[in-house]
Amino acid sequence: MHFTPMLYISLYFLALSFKDVICFFDPVSLTVGVGVGLGALTGFGVLKDQTYCRLTECCNERSIPGDVYKLKVMIQKRLFGQHIVKQQLISALEAHFNPRSSSRKPLVMSFHGTPGTGKNFVADMIAEALYEKGIKSRFVHKYTGRLDFPLQKIVGSYNERIYNDVVTGITDCPRSLFIFDEVDKMPAGVFESLASLVDYNALPNKLDGSKAIFIFLSNLAGVQISDQLAKMLKNGELRENIKLSSFERILQKASYNLEGGFKKAGLIEQHVIDHFIPFLPLEKQHVHQCISAEFNKWDRRPQEQVIEDMLKKVITYDREHGLFSTAGCKTIEKKVATEVWIEKRLT
């Protein structure tokens, strides 16, 4: 059938009228015996896809393409110095979106590292690749420690909020994404209600949470990651050859014992977190790559001296090892933008 603009509008309001029926009835579970033909309900589904879901976000493949290959390309072009992240993250997401997956629990990942190593950057790229509307999707739920969960004395209320938000979110769309930033700034005990929810078949009302994704972002264990990496580099190991196994136990132990939202957390005790992923501290060469990439976004190819001059302004090396940039690439975007506008004013 060919749909004209006016027909779209008319069918949209018709589909809107039947939205609740379309969203909550499963044609496979119904029979003609209850007065509704399977063909009719299937027709409603097609009608919804062609009208309502063309004009608003729905929990379907159009709104949630789950494009892991797109994410792989984005990370390859825009993330530097994080070979472990590239290897583990893409494999984890490919397995999660595999239609043959038999997992009974959601995908749960915890990102750790010092500021400026790319944790938030990668989390936003995940949302951008998996959801048509990216981080603005109503199926992407993002929380920030200091803003959403700042006080220890009302941790019980935070637990209730997280429980209700997760149940509501997964009810709305099983392919929901939950991002918790600044876990190290959250009070201990904040995730206790979540531990049971994301465990095997623990959601209420027979909800299926196996398609959801939970990502935790934290500066926890950043110092331990730096110490371990420095030790290995000084022993002659090549950075690109270092494996995840050199960090996993360190991350798990530090998360459980250090102050923050993971301290003595059931999420760790119950082994609910599938992947502890380290974001390695950045060296000078990686910050150089960040600067070049930012200039490329402005269609600029500066001379090497311009980049070297900027490196001198933005890099402060860690006192302990003298190898790693303390801020990583955190301020590069604004620094390059300022440099470009100065150049424009002078031309």
Side-chain angles (χ1 to χ4, degrees):
M1 178 184 293
H2 176 66
F3 290 89
T4 65
M6 287 302 296
L7 184 57
Y8 268 126
I9 295 172
S10 300
L11 290 177
Y12 167 75
F13 287 108
L14 177 60
L16 194 61
S17 302
F18 289 106
K19 178 166 69 73
D20 292 338
V21 175
I22 295 168
C23 288
F24 295 108
F25 279 74
D26 178 7
V28 177
S29 67
L30 296 174
T31 66
V32 177
V34 296
V36 181
L38 294 180
L41 281 176
T42 302
F44 282 141
V46 173
L47 178 63
K48 180 187 176 190
D49 280 342
Q50 294 295 334
T51 57
Y52 180 78
C53 292
R54 283 186 177 272
L55 299 172
T56 191
E57 188 177 28
C58 288
C59 185
N60 60 15
E61 289 186 7
R62 179 181 290 114
S63 294
I64 311 174
D67 195 342
V68 180
Y69 178 76
K70 177 181 177 181
L71 176 64
K72 184 177 181 179
V73 173
M74 291 165 64
I75 285 178
Q76 195 64 38
K77 291 181 177 179
R78 295 159 57 181
L79 184 69
F80 307 107
Q82 304 299 350
H83 68 284
I84 295 176
V85 176
K86 294 176 182 179
Q87 293 166 359
Q88 299 299 317
L89 177 62
I90 298 302
S91 296
L93 288 170
E94 285 176 339
H96 181 69
F97 279 92
N98 190 323
R100 296 182 179 180
S101 173
S102 59
S103 176
R104 294 180 293 122
K105 67 181 290 295
L107 175 62
V108 185
M109 299 182 288
S110 188
F111 296 171
H112 298 259
T114 51
T117 50
K119 302 182 297 294
N120 254 295
F121 189 46
V122 170
D124 287 352
M125 281 196 284
I126 291 171
E128 185 179 342
L130 303 187
Y131 298 83
E132 183 183 35
K133 292 191 175 182
I135 200 69
K136 295 182 180 180
S137 169
R138 71 184 177 95
F139 306 129
V140 176
H141 312 270
K142 189 169 184 178
Y143 305 86
T144 304
R146 282 176 289 191
L147 179 64
D148 292 293
F149 312 116
L151 304 174
Q152 180 70 56
K153 62 183 179 182
I154 55 172
V155 71
S157 297
Y158 298 152
N159 265 278
E160 185 177 348
R161 176 188 172 186
I162 290 173
Y163 180 93
N164 291 332
D165 284 0
V166 170
V167 171
T168 301
I170 293 178
T171 301
D172 186 30
C173 183
R175 285 239 181 254
S176 291
L177 170 62
F178 299 88
I179 302 171
F180 295 89
D181 189 15
E182 295 185 342
V183 171
D184 51 305
K185 304 297 191 301
M186 298 179 187
V190 70
F191 293 123
E192 288 316 291
S193 65
L194 185 59
S196 60
L197 280 182
V198 300
D199 209 347
Y200 295 89
N201 295 319
L203 284 162
N205 305 320
K206 297 183 179 180
L207 283 174
D208 179 12
S210 63
K211 293 181 174 64
I213 301 173
F214 292 81
I215 301 175
F216 302 93
L217 314 179
S218 175
N219 292 339
L220 280 170
V223 172
Q224 287 80 357
I225 293 171
S226 297
D227 289 346
Q228 176 71 354
L229 178 59
K231 177 182 176 182
M232 298 178 80
L233 292 177
K234 289 175 181 177
N235 285 338
E237 296 191 49
L238 295 176
R239 182 182 176 116
E240 292 73 19
N241 292 339
I242 293 173
K243 305 295 185 183
L244 172 66
S245 56
S246 299
F247 298 94
E248 277 186 302
R249 181 60 184 157
I250 294 171
L251 298 183
Q252 187 174 7
K253 185 177 179 181
S255 297
Y256 189 72
N257 290 301
L258 296 176
E259 291 297 327
F262 278 161
K263 186 172 184 179
K264 312 298 180 187
L267 283 170
I268 298 177
E269 289 177 345
Q270 295 167 222
H271 304 284
V272 172
I273 299 175
D274 302 300
H275 304 282
F276 286 89
I277 300 182
F279 282 66
L280 304 181
L282 302 183
E283 300 170 56
K284 179 180 178 180
Q285 59 178 314
H286 307 121
V287 182
H288 187 292
Q289 290 174 304
C290 288
I291 294 173
S292 296
E294 282 299 321
F295 273 114
N296 286 341
K297 285 166 59 175
W298 291 90
D299 283 331
R300 295 290 193 277
R301 305 292 186 273
Q303 295 180 350
E304 182 63 26
Q305 189 58 50
V306 173
I307 297 179
E308 287 295 329
D309 289 343
M310 185 170 290
L311 280 168
K312 293 175 183 177
K313 297 176 184 176
V314 299
I315 287 190
T316 302
Y317 293 100
D318 68 296
R319 293 181 180 178
E320 184 69 24
H321 309 292
L323 295 171
F324 310 124
S325 169
T326 55
C329 290
K330 201 171 185 69
T331 63
I332 298 303
E333 184 178 11
K334 296 296 184 183
K335 296 285 188 183
V336 170
T338 301
E339 189 71 26
V340 169
W341 281 104
I342 289 173
E343 177 189 323
K344 283 187 176 183
R345 283 211 314 267
L346 295 176
T347 57

